[in-house]
Structures are given as structure tokens and as C-alpha cells.
PDB file of all heavy atoms in Angstrom:
ATOM      1  N   LEU A   9       1.345   7.791   8.276  1.00  0.00           N
ATOM      2  CA  LEU A   9       0.300   6.944   7.724  1.00  0.00           C
ATOM      3  C   LEU A   9      -0.537   6.352   8.862  1.00  0.00           C
ATOM      4  O   LEU A   9       0.005   5.883   9.865  1.00  0.00           O
ATOM      5  CB  LEU A   9       0.943   5.830   6.905  1.00  0.00           C
ATOM      6  CG  LEU A   9       0.008   4.927   6.109  1.00  0.00           C
ATOM      7  CD1 LEU A   9      -0.648   5.717   4.979  1.00  0.00           C
ATOM      8  CD2 LEU A   9       0.794   3.736   5.550  1.00  0.00           C
ATOM      9  N   ARG A  10      -1.847   6.394   8.707  1.00  0.00           N
ATOM     10  CA  ARG A  10      -2.729   5.994   9.800  1.00  0.00           C
ATOM     11  C   ARG A  10      -2.884   4.483   9.915  1.00  0.00           C
ATOM     12  O   ARG A  10      -3.165   3.955  10.991  1.00  0.00           O
ATOM     13  CB  ARG A  10      -4.097   6.650   9.637  1.00  0.00           C
ATOM     14  CG  ARG A  10      -4.042   8.165   9.819  1.00  0.00           C
ATOM     15  CD  ARG A  10      -5.384   8.832   9.621  1.00  0.00           C
ATOM     16  NE  ARG A  10      -6.392   8.353  10.575  1.00  0.00           N
ATOM     17  CZ  ARG A  10      -7.619   8.866  10.677  1.00  0.00           C
ATOM     18  NH1 ARG A  10      -7.972   9.869   9.876  1.00  0.00           N
ATOM     19  NH2 ARG A  10      -8.480   8.397  11.539  1.00  0.00           N
ATOM     20  N   ARG A  11      -2.743   3.745   8.823  1.00  0.00           N
ATOM     21  CA  ARG A  11      -2.853   2.282   8.899  1.00  0.00           C
ATOM     22  C   ARG A  11      -1.974   1.647   7.828  1.00  0.00           C
ATOM     23  O   ARG A  11      -1.680   2.241   6.800  1.00  0.00           O
ATOM     24  CB  ARG A  11      -4.301   1.833   8.728  1.00  0.00           C
ATOM     25  CG  ARG A  11      -4.932   2.190   7.408  1.00  0.00           C
ATOM     26  CD  ARG A  11      -6.392   1.756   7.338  1.00  0.00           C
ATOM     27  NE  ARG A  11      -7.046   2.292   6.169  1.00  0.00           N
ATOM     28  CZ  ARG A  11      -7.106   1.674   4.987  1.00  0.00           C
ATOM     29  NH1 ARG A  11      -6.548   0.480   4.851  1.00  0.00           N
ATOM     30  NH2 ARG A  11      -7.735   2.239   3.960  1.00  0.00           N
ATOM     31  N   GLY A  12      -1.557   0.428   8.111  1.00  0.00           N
ATOM     32  CA  GLY A  12      -0.692  -0.283   7.190  1.00  0.00           C
ATOM     33  C   GLY A  12      -1.441  -0.834   5.995  1.00  0.00           C
ATOM     34  O   GLY A  12      -2.664  -0.693   5.867  1.00  0.00           O
ATOM     35  N   VAL A  13      -0.709  -1.492   5.113  1.00  0.00           N
ATOM     36  CA  VAL A  13      -1.260  -2.008   3.863  1.00  0.00           C
ATOM     37  C   VAL A  13      -1.837  -3.405   4.097  1.00  0.00           C
ATOM     38  O   VAL A  13      -1.227  -4.245   4.758  1.00  0.00           O
ATOM     39  CB  VAL A  13      -0.178  -2.068   2.768  1.00  0.00           C
ATOM     40  CG1 VAL A  13      -0.740  -2.652   1.481  1.00  0.00           C
ATOM     41  CG2 VAL A  13       0.387  -0.674   2.515  1.00  0.00           C
ATOM     42  N   ASP A  14      -3.018  -3.632   3.561  1.00  0.00           N
ATOM     43  CA  ASP A  14      -3.667  -4.940   3.593  1.00  0.00           C
ATOM     44  C   ASP A  14      -3.780  -5.428   2.151  1.00  0.00           C
ATOM     45  O   ASP A  14      -4.564  -4.893   1.366  1.00  0.00           O
ATOM     46  CB  ASP A  14      -5.044  -4.835   4.250  1.00  0.00           C
ATOM     47  CG  ASP A  14      -5.721  -6.189   4.425  1.00  0.00           C
ATOM     48  OD1 ASP A  14      -5.335  -7.139   3.717  1.00  0.00           O
ATOM     49  OD2 ASP A  14      -6.646  -6.279   5.257  1.00  0.00           O
ATOM     50  N   GLU A  15      -2.976  -6.429   1.797  1.00  0.00           N
ATOM     51  CA  GLU A  15      -2.960  -6.912   0.418  1.00  0.00           C
ATOM     52  C   GLU A  15      -4.330  -7.400  -0.040  1.00  0.00           C
ATOM     53  O   GLU A  15      -4.646  -7.369  -1.225  1.00  0.00           O
ATOM     54  CB  GLU A  15      -1.942  -8.052   0.289  1.00  0.00           C
ATOM     55  CG  GLU A  15      -0.501  -7.586   0.250  1.00  0.00           C
ATOM     56  CD  GLU A  15      -0.135  -6.947  -1.085  1.00  0.00           C
ATOM     57  OE1 GLU A  15      -0.740  -7.314  -2.110  1.00  0.00           O
ATOM     58  OE2 GLU A  15       0.750  -6.079  -1.096  1.00  0.00           O
ATOM     59  N   GLY A  16      -5.152  -7.869   0.885  1.00  0.00           N
ATOM     60  CA  GLY A  16      -6.457  -8.375   0.504  1.00  0.00           C
ATOM     61  C   GLY A  16      -7.488  -7.291   0.279  1.00  0.00           C
ATOM     62  O   GLY A  16      -8.567  -7.564  -0.256  1.00  0.00           O
ATOM     63  N   VAL A  17      -7.169  -6.060   0.704  1.00  0.00           N
ATOM     64  CA  VAL A  17      -8.142  -4.969   0.618  1.00  0.00           C
ATOM     65  C   VAL A  17      -7.663  -3.844  -0.288  1.00  0.00           C
ATOM     66  O   VAL A  17      -8.418  -3.321  -1.118  1.00  0.00           O
ATOM     67  CB  VAL A  17      -8.448  -4.413   2.031  1.00  0.00           C
ATOM     68  CG1 VAL A  17      -9.356  -3.196   1.946  1.00  0.00           C
ATOM     69  CG2 VAL A  17      -9.073  -5.497   2.904  1.00  0.00           C
ATOM     70  N   ASP A  18      -6.410  -3.457  -0.152  1.00  0.00           N
ATOM     71  CA  ASP A  18      -5.885  -2.307  -0.901  1.00  0.00           C
ATOM     72  C   ASP A  18      -5.619  -2.658  -2.361  1.00  0.00           C
ATOM     73  O   ASP A  18      -5.399  -3.832  -2.713  1.00  0.00           O
ATOM     74  CB  ASP A  18      -4.592  -1.811  -0.258  1.00  0.00           C
ATOM     75  CG  ASP A  18      -4.834  -1.038   1.022  1.00  0.00           C
ATOM     76  OD1 ASP A  18      -5.671  -0.121   0.996  1.00  0.00           O
ATOM     77  OD2 ASP A  18      -4.206  -1.353   2.051  1.00  0.00           O
ATOM     78  N   LEU A  19      -5.605  -1.627  -3.195  1.00  0.00           N
ATOM     79  CA  LEU A  19      -5.235  -1.769  -4.602  1.00  0.00           C
ATOM     80  C   LEU A  19      -3.713  -1.670  -4.683  1.00  0.00           C
ATOM     81  O   LEU A  19      -3.145  -0.594  -4.473  1.00  0.00           O
ATOM     82  CB  LEU A  19      -5.881  -0.665  -5.453  1.00  0.00           C
ATOM     83  CG  LEU A  19      -7.398  -0.483  -5.293  1.00  0.00           C
ATOM     84  CD1 LEU A  19      -7.889   0.634  -6.210  1.00  0.00           C
ATOM     85  CD2 LEU A  19      -8.143  -1.773  -5.564  1.00  0.00           C
ATOM     86  N   THR A  20      -3.038  -2.777  -4.952  1.00  0.00           N
ATOM     87  CA  THR A  20      -1.582  -2.802  -4.889  1.00  0.00           C
ATOM     88  C   THR A  20      -1.001  -3.355  -6.175  1.00  0.00           C
ATOM     89  O   THR A  20      -1.656  -4.094  -6.927  1.00  0.00           O
ATOM     90  CB  THR A  20      -1.089  -3.672  -3.714  1.00  0.00           C
ATOM     91  OG1 THR A  20      -1.437  -5.041  -3.962  1.00  0.00           O
ATOM     92  CG2 THR A  20      -1.716  -3.233  -2.401  1.00  0.00           C
ATOM     93  N   THR A  21       0.247  -3.023  -6.405  1.00  0.00           N
ATOM     94  CA  THR A  21       1.036  -3.626  -7.476  1.00  0.00           C
ATOM     95  C   THR A  21       2.483  -3.657  -7.022  1.00  0.00           C
ATOM     96  O   THR A  21       2.974  -2.705  -6.412  1.00  0.00           O
ATOM     97  CB  THR A  21       0.890  -2.844  -8.801  1.00  0.00           C
ATOM     98  OG1 THR A  21       1.712  -3.452  -9.797  1.00  0.00           O
ATOM     99  CG2 THR A  21       1.308  -1.393  -8.663  1.00  0.00           C
ATOM    100  N   GLY A  22       3.178  -4.749  -7.300  1.00  0.00           N
ATOM    101  CA  GLY A  22       4.546  -4.914  -6.856  1.00  0.00           C
ATOM    102  C   GLY A  22       4.654  -6.000  -5.801  1.00  0.00           C
ATOM    103  O   GLY A  22       3.667  -6.520  -5.293  1.00  0.00           O
ATOM    104  N   ASP A  23       5.889  -6.306  -5.445  1.00  0.00           N
ATOM    105  CA  ASP A  23       6.188  -7.378  -4.486  1.00  0.00           C
ATOM    106  C   ASP A  23       5.782  -6.959  -3.076  1.00  0.00           C
ATOM    107  O   ASP A  23       6.258  -5.935  -2.575  1.00  0.00           O
ATOM    108  CB  ASP A  23       7.687  -7.677  -4.524  1.00  0.00           C
ATOM    109  CG  ASP A  23       8.061  -8.913  -3.713  1.00  0.00           C
ATOM    110  OD1 ASP A  23       7.232  -9.375  -2.906  1.00  0.00           O
ATOM    111  OD2 ASP A  23       9.195  -9.409  -3.894  1.00  0.00           O
ATOM    112  N   PRO A  24       4.908  -7.706  -2.396  1.00  0.00           N
ATOM    113  CA  PRO A  24       4.520  -7.354  -1.028  1.00  0.00           C
ATOM    114  C   PRO A  24       5.696  -7.317  -0.055  1.00  0.00           C
ATOM    115  O   PRO A  24       5.616  -6.673   0.994  1.00  0.00           O
ATOM    116  CB  PRO A  24       3.529  -8.464  -0.637  1.00  0.00           C
ATOM    117  CG  PRO A  24       3.061  -9.038  -1.931  1.00  0.00           C
ATOM    118  CD  PRO A  24       4.197  -8.892  -2.889  1.00  0.00           C
ATOM    119  N   ARG A  25       6.789  -7.990  -0.425  1.00  0.00           N
ATOM    120  CA  ARG A  25       7.969  -8.022   0.455  1.00  0.00           C
ATOM    121  C   ARG A  25       8.980  -6.934   0.095  1.00  0.00           C
ATOM    122  O   ARG A  25      10.090  -6.916   0.642  1.00  0.00           O
ATOM    123  CB  ARG A  25       8.637  -9.392   0.358  1.00  0.00           C
ATOM    124  CG  ARG A  25       7.758 -10.543   0.829  1.00  0.00           C
ATOM    125  CD  ARG A  25       8.316 -11.867   0.378  1.00  0.00           C
ATOM    126  NE  ARG A  25       8.321 -11.954  -1.092  1.00  0.00           N
ATOM    127  CZ  ARG A  25       8.819 -12.982  -1.785  1.00  0.00           C
ATOM    128  NH1 ARG A  25       9.333 -14.013  -1.152  1.00  0.00           N
ATOM    129  NH2 ARG A  25       8.787 -12.983  -3.113  1.00  0.00           N
ATOM    130  N   ALA A  26       8.631  -6.045  -0.796  1.00  0.00           N
ATOM    131  CA  ALA A  26       9.555  -4.977  -1.208  1.00  0.00           C
ATOM    132  C   ALA A  26       9.963  -4.130  -0.005  1.00  0.00           C
ATOM    133  O   ALA A  26       9.168  -3.915   0.918  1.00  0.00           O
ATOM    134  CB  ALA A  26       8.895  -4.093  -2.264  1.00  0.00           C
ATOM    135  N   PRO A  27      11.213  -3.632   0.028  1.00  0.00           N
ATOM    136  CA  PRO A  27      11.684  -2.849   1.182  1.00  0.00           C
ATOM    137  C   PRO A  27      11.013  -1.491   1.327  1.00  0.00           C
ATOM    138  O   PRO A  27      11.063  -0.882   2.387  1.00  0.00           O
ATOM    139  CB  PRO A  27      13.182  -2.701   0.914  1.00  0.00           C
ATOM    140  CG  PRO A  27      13.332  -2.871  -0.569  1.00  0.00           C
ATOM    141  CD  PRO A  27      12.271  -3.854  -0.962  1.00  0.00           C
ATOM    142  N   HIS A  28      10.397  -1.002   0.259  1.00  0.00           N
ATOM    143  CA  HIS A  28       9.756   0.307   0.316  1.00  0.00           C
ATOM    144  C   HIS A  28       8.308   0.204  -0.154  1.00  0.00           C
ATOM    145  O   HIS A  28       7.974  -0.628  -1.003  1.00  0.00           O
ATOM    146  CB  HIS A  28      10.486   1.329  -0.560  1.00  0.00           C
ATOM    147  CG  HIS A  28      11.925   1.519  -0.193  1.00  0.00           C
ATOM    148  ND1 HIS A  28      12.324   2.111   0.973  1.00  0.00           N
ATOM    149  CD2 HIS A  28      13.067   1.162  -0.852  1.00  0.00           C
ATOM    150  CE1 HIS A  28      13.642   2.136   1.023  1.00  0.00           C
ATOM    151  NE2 HIS A  28      14.118   1.565  -0.070  1.00  0.00           N
ATOM    152  N   THR A  29       7.465   1.078   0.405  1.00  0.00           N
ATOM    153  CA  THR A  29       6.055   1.137   0.000  1.00  0.00           C
ATOM    154  C   THR A  29       5.676   2.586  -0.263  1.00  0.00           C
ATOM    155  O   THR A  29       5.911   3.461   0.578  1.00  0.00           O
ATOM    156  CB  THR A  29       5.140   0.564   1.096  1.00  0.00           C
ATOM    157  OG1 THR A  29       5.453  -0.820   1.296  1.00  0.00           O
ATOM    158  CG2 THR A  29       3.672   0.683   0.695  1.00  0.00           C
ATOM    159  N   LEU A  30       5.121   2.848  -1.431  1.00  0.00           N
ATOM    160  CA  LEU A  30       4.622   4.178  -1.788  1.00  0.00           C
ATOM    161  C   LEU A  30       3.101   4.092  -1.858  1.00  0.00           C
ATOM    162  O   LEU A  30       2.561   3.308  -2.655  1.00  0.00           O
ATOM    163  CB  LEU A  30       5.211   4.643  -3.112  1.00  0.00           C
ATOM    164  CG  LEU A  30       4.894   6.079  -3.555  1.00  0.00           C
ATOM    165  CD1 LEU A  30       5.995   6.622  -4.457  1.00  0.00           C
ATOM    166  CD2 LEU A  30       3.547   6.195  -4.281  1.00  0.00           C
ATOM    167  N   ILE A  31       2.426   4.858  -1.012  1.00  0.00           N
ATOM    168  CA  ILE A  31       0.974   4.870  -0.972  1.00  0.00           C
ATOM    169  C   ILE A  31       0.473   6.214  -1.486  1.00  0.00           C
ATOM    170  O   ILE A  31       0.886   7.264  -1.005  1.00  0.00           O
ATOM    171  CB  ILE A  31       0.458   4.622   0.457  1.00  0.00           C
ATOM    172  CG1 ILE A  31       0.915   3.245   0.944  1.00  0.00           C
ATOM    173  CG2 ILE A  31      -1.067   4.724   0.508  1.00  0.00           C
ATOM    174  CD1 ILE A  31       0.486   2.926   2.356  1.00  0.00           C
ATOM    175  N   ASN A  32      -0.409   6.140  -2.464  1.00  0.00           N
ATOM    176  CA  ASN A  32      -0.948   7.353  -3.082  1.00  0.00           C
ATOM    177  C   ASN A  32      -2.454   7.402  -2.864  1.00  0.00           C
ATOM    178  O   ASN A  32      -3.176   6.525  -3.316  1.00  0.00           O
ATOM    179  CB  ASN A  32      -0.604   7.352  -4.572  1.00  0.00           C
ATOM    180  CG  ASN A  32      -1.330   8.425  -5.355  1.00  0.00           C
ATOM    181  OD1 ASN A  32      -1.637   8.232  -6.517  1.00  0.00           O
ATOM    182  ND2 ASN A  32      -1.604   9.569  -4.746  1.00  0.00           N
ATOM    183  N   TYR A  33      -2.906   8.442  -2.146  1.00  0.00           N
ATOM    184  CA  TYR A  33      -4.336   8.716  -2.027  1.00  0.00           C
ATOM    185  C   TYR A  33      -4.705   9.604  -3.207  1.00  0.00           C
ATOM    186  O   TYR A  33      -4.238  10.747  -3.306  1.00  0.00           O
ATOM    187  CB  TYR A  33      -4.646   9.425  -0.710  1.00  0.00           C
ATOM    188  CG  TYR A  33      -4.566   8.524   0.510  1.00  0.00           C
ATOM    189  CD1 TYR A  33      -3.350   8.230   1.108  1.00  0.00           C
ATOM    190  CD2 TYR A  33      -5.721   7.973   1.057  1.00  0.00           C
ATOM    191  CE1 TYR A  33      -3.272   7.409   2.224  1.00  0.00           C
ATOM    192  CE2 TYR A  33      -5.660   7.149   2.179  1.00  0.00           C
ATOM    193  CZ  TYR A  33      -4.430   6.872   2.761  1.00  0.00           C
ATOM    194  OH  TYR A  33      -4.364   6.063   3.862  1.00  0.00           O
ATOM    195  N   ALA A  34      -5.544   9.062  -4.116  1.00  0.00           N
ATOM    196  CA  ALA A  34      -5.774   9.732  -5.397  1.00  0.00           C
ATOM    197  C   ALA A  34      -7.232  10.088  -5.599  1.00  0.00           C
ATOM    198  O   ALA A  34      -8.122   9.304  -5.297  1.00  0.00           O
ATOM    199  CB  ALA A  34      -5.305   8.830  -6.532  1.00  0.00           C
ATOM    200  N   ASP A  35      -7.443  11.282  -6.133  1.00  0.00           N
ATOM    201  CA  ASP A  35      -8.755  11.722  -6.599  1.00  0.00           C
ATOM    202  C   ASP A  35      -8.742  11.574  -8.122  1.00  0.00           C
ATOM    203  O   ASP A  35      -8.098  12.350  -8.826  1.00  0.00           O
ATOM    204  CB  ASP A  35      -8.980  13.183  -6.185  1.00  0.00           C
ATOM    205  CG  ASP A  35     -10.307  13.749  -6.680  1.00  0.00           C
ATOM    206  OD1 ASP A  35     -10.985  13.066  -7.468  1.00  0.00           O
ATOM    207  OD2 ASP A  35     -10.652  14.867  -6.279  1.00  0.00           O
TER     208      ASP A  35
END
């Protein structure tokens, strides 16, 4: 992954402190 998650910018759902992060680049 080229950059980490920014809660203020990215479209997220779930606990920001969760031990795992799944990032989906979607068309």
C-alpha cells in the first residue's frame, strides 16, 4: 500500500483502532 488511511479524507467504516484494515480500490 502506497499510503496509510486518513480518517478525515478516506471513505471508511468501522473502528479506526481495529487491528486489521481492508482497503478496496473500486471501480
Side-chain angles (χ1 to χ4, degrees):
L9 187 68
R10 293 178 60 174
R11 61 182 171 91
V13 178
D14 185 340
E15 284 286 332
V17 175
D18 285 310
L19 308 181
T20 66
T21 178
D23 188 345
R25 297 165 297 177
H28 302 291
T29 297
L30 186 153
I31 299 178
N32 169 212
Y33 286 82
D35 178 352

